Each structure stands twice: as structure tokens, then as C-alpha cells.
Amino acid sequence: MLRKLHHLFSAPITRVSERNSLLPSTKVDNGERANGTDFGLRNPLEIETFLRDLATRQDFLAVDYGNGQIVTRVLQIDTKSNTFIFDYGAFRTGNRAVLAANKLRFEASPDGVKVEFTTGRPREISRDGAVAFEVELPQVLFRVQRREYFRNSHDRSVFLQRDAARGKALSS
């Protein structure tokens, strides 16, 4: 038990700024993270389920088209055609730029967990009398949990004494 406690409190706590991340955002062409650490979902069923959850919760996504971005929501997942539909943005110029882009980068933060994925060029479709975008499902969807604080070394005797005192109080 003491070895487990020692392990928990032996790593350093370091403040990380919002701009610094555990994983670089640079990706290699095959979709892997540049540093070799990979938190990617590749199973199409998992990707569909995750996107369907975003649609159900009506979470917002930022879609970067190269020279700017729009804010949108996932509207529908079509498992038969291996596509998903997302809503038009608020501004006509941004929507036109999305249609012209060869590659789109999506980003969301459901429950504080950053999600990133890329797709190819979307198509404009009509859905329920409104205009929307349709695009192929991503091949990889990255979920990145970022912490603001990391463990730091402490005077372990303080924690051991505290835990020992708690144990005595619980057993009494």
C-alpha cells in the first residue's frame, strides 16, 4: 500500500499553458501524431457512435477550412453511405469557402475532452428544406485529454501521515 502511495505522489506538478499541449497538433500524413503517441479511433463503428453522440447532444464543432472557420453541429450520420451531415454556418462567405476547401479540420470539446478529425471536400445537400453539408466519415478521430496540472514531488511523509491518520479514524 505504501509503495502505491509513494508512486502516486512522486511525479512533478507543472502548470501547462493553454497553448502548450501534451501532444503536438502536428499530424503526419498517415493520420498518426508526429510524436508517435496516438489516441485515435479508427474503428468506423466507434467513429459513427462518437459523431452520433455529438449530434444527439447538439455539441458545437469548429470547422477549419484553411483561411477561416465556421461553427456548426453534426445533424445526421448515414452508416450506409459512410457519411455525416453537418449544418451550414452563419455566414455565406464561410459556407462558400467550406465548399471550396479540399480538406476540413473539425474540432470540438465535449465534456472538456478535445476531439479532432479531418475530412475531404464536402457536398452541399438539402435536408428538411434547409441547406447543409455532407462529407465522408473521417478515417481517424483523435480524442485528447489535456490537463492543466501535472503531479509534482511532495514531502511524502505529510501524505503518509495524513493517510495513516485517516485509516486510524476509519478503523476506530
Side-chain angles (χ1 to χ4, degrees):
M1 176 72 171
L2 291 178
R3 286 184 185 173
K4 288 182 181 177
L5 290 174
H6 169 69
H7 174 71
L8 288 174
F9 298 110
S10 61
I13 292 183
T14 309
R15 179 126 167 88
V16 176
S17 74
E18 289 295 316
R19 294 185 179 231
N20 295 333
S21 68
L22 291 175
L23 302 172
S25 60
T26 309
K27 294 183 187 67
V28 181
D29 289 337
N30 65 1
E32 301 289 327
R33 291 235 172 232
N35 70 349
T37 306
D38 184 7
F39 294 99
L41 297 178
R42 286 179 174 67
N43 182 319
L45 187 58
E46 287 180 317
I47 293 171
E48 290 168 8
T49 301
F50 195 88
L51 291 175
R52 191 169 283 109
D53 288 345
L54 288 177
T56 301
R57 294 164 34 130
Q58 297 185 357
D59 285 328
F60 288 104
L61 292 96
V63 181
D64 186 324
Y65 50 82
N67 297 329
Q69 67 180 21
I70 65 167
V71 176
T72 187
R73 291 182 180 170
V74 175
L75 300 175
Q76 181 180 342
I77 311 302
D78 187 346
T79 55
K80 290 179 183 173
S81 66
N82 207 30
T83 60
F84 73 97
I85 298 170
F86 62 100
D87 204 5
Y88 247 47
F91 301 103
R92 191 176 300 175
T93 55
N95 293 327
R96 277 187 258 154
V98 167
L99 281 171
N102 289 323
K103 184 177 181 180
L104 300 177
R105 187 174 64 82
F106 291 76
E107 189 175 302
S109 295
D111 297 325
V113 177
K114 184 177 178 183
V115 176
E116 302 177 352
F117 60 92
T118 59
T119 66
R121 177 176 279 179
R123 295 173 292 284
E124 185 178 77
I125 64 164
S126 178
R127 180 181 181 270
D128 299 332
V131 183
F133 297 111
E134 182 180 47
V135 70
E136 300 289 323
L137 288 173
Q139 292 189 4
V140 182
L141 186 144
F142 290 101
R143 292 189 298 190
V144 183
Q145 177 73 45
R146 295 183 181 174
R147 287 196 248 172
E148 201 166 322
Y149 295 94
F150 296 94
R151 301 190 189 279
N152 195 1
S153 59
H154 302 285
D155 180 3
R156 288 178 279 290
S157 64
V158 171
F159 294 107
L160 296 175
Q161 289 170 0
R162 182 199 69 201
D163 291 338
R166 284 183 180 169
K168 287 180 186 176
L170 293 174
S171 63
S172 300

